[in-house]
Amino acid sequence: MSARARRSAATAAAVLAPVAIWAATDPLLGHPLRITDGEETLDLGAAPVAVVALLASLAGWALLAALERLGVRRARAVWTGVAVAVLAVSFLPLAGDGMDSGTRTALAAMHLAVAAVLIPGLAGRSRVHS
């Protein structure tokens, strides 16, 4: 499989993974994902979950491609370090107020699911066919 095909598949899977978690949490278990900020309440649906995962995936892919194109030594290792750091930072908003523990848990699982698919999917090497 070519690097482009593998990275496209990883991006698609990284979008589907959090949507599957949303589907299990909201419609199936009946726990709506809501974030409250003062008077405003944001209901998280499948579309915003998919869009955020897609944007994060495309940004990660773009950064990796830029590092590779610029000839950065050990571009994949550098990118993996950046990806892990971004994952860690992505948990910071989950420590704040405005959401219940079910929403916090579901969002954390979504972040981990995207990373679990995207990091090895984008940074991995293509298999050589003999």
Side-chain angles (χ1 to χ4, degrees), residues 50-97:
V51 168
V52 169
L54 177 62
L55 292 175
S57 300
L58 293 176
W61 187 351
L63 176 60
L64 179 56
L67 291 170
E68 290 172 339
R69 185 154 292 173
L70 292 171
V72 172
R73 187 174 171 194
R74 299 180 37 94
R76 289 184 177 131
V78 169
W79 181 85
T80 300
V82 170
V84 170
V86 168
L87 173 63
V89 170
S90 78
F91 283 101
L92 291 177
L94 300 181
D97 294 333

Side-chain angles (χ1 to χ4, degrees), residues 13 18 25 29 38-39 54-55 58 65 70 85-86 96 98 100 103 105 120 124 127:
T25 305
L29 295 177
E39 296 288 323
L54 177 62
L55 292 175
L58 293 176
L70 292 171
V86 168
D100 62 24
T103 297
T105 301
R127 293 185 180 153

Side-chain angles (χ1 to χ4, degrees), residues 37-54:
D37 183 21
E39 296 288 323
E40 293 186 37
T41 299
L42 174 65
D43 287 317
L44 297 178
V49 167
V51 168
V52 169
L54 177 62

